[in-house]
Amino acid sequence: MQSLSFVIIGCGRIGFRHAEHIENNGKLVAVCDIDASKADELAKKYDSKAYYSFEEFLESKLKFDVVVVCSPNGLHAYHTIQALKMGCHVVCEKPMALNAADCRVMIETAEKVNKRLFIVKQNRFNPPVEALKKALIENVLGEITNVQLNCFWNRNKDYYSSSTWKGSQNMDGGILYTQFSHFIDLLYWLVGDVVDVRSYKLKSKREEIEFEDTLVSVLKFYNGAIGTANFCINSFKKNMEGSITLFGEKGTVKIGGQYLNELDYQMIDNFEIKNLPAGNPANNYGSYQGSMSNHDKVYENVVEVLKNNGVIATNGFEGQKTVEIIDRIYRSCE
């Protein structure tokens, strides 16, 4: 069986992370970045071709199967749509886009050209998250009445100075897009869609960002549950917590740690979550850490879908839902 061939758009830290897993599941044939040094470094490491502009890549006659979009948030929609029109499948990093309208065009384009659109939401593969999802499917907790989401991370000045696009409204979008979209995806995946939200946001004296560094929301879900979500990137020196707690009529479960990687608490009627496998470590970017490094499972899913007609772990519709909820939260602050 011929292996899949991949192209990476965006050769930053997350692009290098993707390249590692691509090599375990196929072949990286080309990379693209406007920073020639980054493109050359990644291309040399994996013996692939380097392009220095997206337009140059679009005009190429290169043959490949999948484009992986790892560019700045504000370019995800454009890069995805143009790549789909080239006739290839697309793996798009989070967030899918910075508005729901772009998400819809991405989905419609994939349908028109009959290609698959994968959205990267690797925290769904965290062992305690998978176990909680299974418990919810089996109705172990009964009706969910209350949800608590806490995201207390550190993103310091050095983090934002390391890139020209981070911290900008147009390309970054805000902390809910860049830092916490995975957590909002899990709210949707575990509890359901949001019918109403009320929020407050705060921008402290930080000059390196154009948007909030703290945001608090009260959410009401379609299934009747209510909850709160607390987001902050001012945790002193390091990430403190990334947790979600579900209160149900037959049980309470809290998944915590810094990255939703630990089962912190459970009290369930005649049931216990146990024998959880060890999860992957967090993505380590030197001066800071990101979400869990489950990109190996993302690529296993890509291969399963494209080679064996499997089911996409996170499709375009689900990616759009995350963006819609983020948009509702931000609009409710106004």
Side-chain angles (χ1 to χ4, degrees), residues 6-67:
F6 293 81
V7 174
I8 291 178
I9 309 299
C11 301
R13 286 167 170 163
I14 194 63
F16 275 77
R17 177 74 61 180
H18 277 265
E20 295 175 19
H21 299 294
I22 285 172
E23 283 298 293
N24 293 328
N25 292 276
K27 174 60 181 173
L28 181 62
V29 296
V31 302
C32 178
D33 200 294
I34 59 173
D35 186 329
S37 63
K38 290 182 178 179
D40 286 340
E41 181 183 358
L42 188 56
K44 182 179 180 180
K45 184 174 183 178
Y46 293 100
D47 190 26
S48 57
K49 181 173 177 56
Y51 294 93
Y52 308 122
S53 76
F54 189 64
E55 290 68 31
E56 178 190 9
F57 164 67
L58 290 177
E59 294 171 0
S60 72
K61 303 296 183 181
L62 189 68
K63 299 296 183 182
F64 54 90
D65 300 305
V66 185
V67 162

Side-chain angles (χ1 to χ4, degrees), residues 45-259:
K45 184 174 183 178
Y46 293 100
D47 190 26
S48 57
K49 181 173 177 56
Y51 294 93
Y52 308 122
S53 76
F54 189 64
E55 290 68 31
E56 178 190 9
F57 164 67
L58 290 177
E59 294 171 0
S60 72
K61 303 296 183 181
L62 189 68
K63 299 296 183 182
F64 54 90
D65 300 305
V66 185
V67 162
V68 182
V69 176
C70 297
S71 51
N73 300 346
L75 295 174
H76 284 184
Y78 173 69
H79 286 161
T80 295
I81 292 165
Q82 296 305 314
L84 287 166
K85 288 180 178 178
M86 292 180 75
C88 60
H89 308 284
V90 172
V91 175
C92 181
E93 255 294 346
K94 60 82 183 171
M96 182 175 175
L98 293 183
N99 63 75
D102 282 347
C103 292
R104 286 193 292 273
V105 177
M106 295 163 75
I107 294 169
E108 290 169 358
T109 304
E111 291 177 346
K112 286 179 182 177
V113 299
N114 194 29
K115 294 298 177 180
R116 299 300 189 102
L117 174 57
F118 302 81
I119 309 301
V120 177
K121 298 291 185 183
Q122 77 270 16
N123 279 10
R124 292 188 178 193
F125 297 107
N126 293 2
V129 173
E130 287 187 314
L132 178 54
K133 177 66 173 181
K134 184 174 184 293
L136 290 169
I137 291 172
E138 296 173 354
N139 199 35
V140 169
L141 273 65
E143 180 182 354
I144 302 301
T145 57
N146 185 264
V147 184
Q148 303 292 318
L149 177 66
N150 289 319
C151 302
F152 306 133
W153 280 14
N154 172 273
R155 290 295 180 268
N156 56 29
K157 190 172 183 178
D158 290 342
Y159 167 83
Y160 286 103
S161 64
S162 67
S163 174
T164 57
W165 65 272
K166 290 176 182 175
S168 70
Q169 190 69 60
N170 290 337
M171 282 293 151
D172 186 318
I175 62 175
L176 299 192
Y177 284 110
T178 304
Q179 274 71 53
F180 302 126
S181 63
H182 286 304
F183 294 85
I184 294 171
D185 168 67
L186 292 181
L187 275 182
Y188 172 74
W189 195 50
L190 296 172
V191 185
D193 205 353
V194 173
V195 67
D196 193 24
V197 59
R198 297 288 184 270
S199 306
Y200 295 92
K201 64 180 180 179
L202 172 69
K203 183 180 184 296
S204 64
K205 297 178 181 179
R206 301 180 63 163
E207 298 178 353
E208 67 272 18
I209 56 177
E210 297 176 354
F211 42 72
E212 77 292 337
D213 49 45
T214 302
L215 194 151
V216 177
S217 294
V218 178
L219 307 122
K220 183 177 181 180
F221 296 83
Y222 273 100
N223 62 6
I226 59 173
T228 60
N230 300 282
F231 306 97
C232 180
I233 58 168
N234 295 328
S235 178
F236 190 62
K237 286 193 175 181
K238 67 177 184 179
N239 293 351
M240 172 185 167
E241 177 181 341
S243 68
I244 184 169
T245 305
L246 300 187
F247 298 88
E249 59 181 344
K250 296 189 291 184
T252 301
V253 176
K254 178 181 180 182
I255 299 175
Q258 295 184 41
Y259 316 99

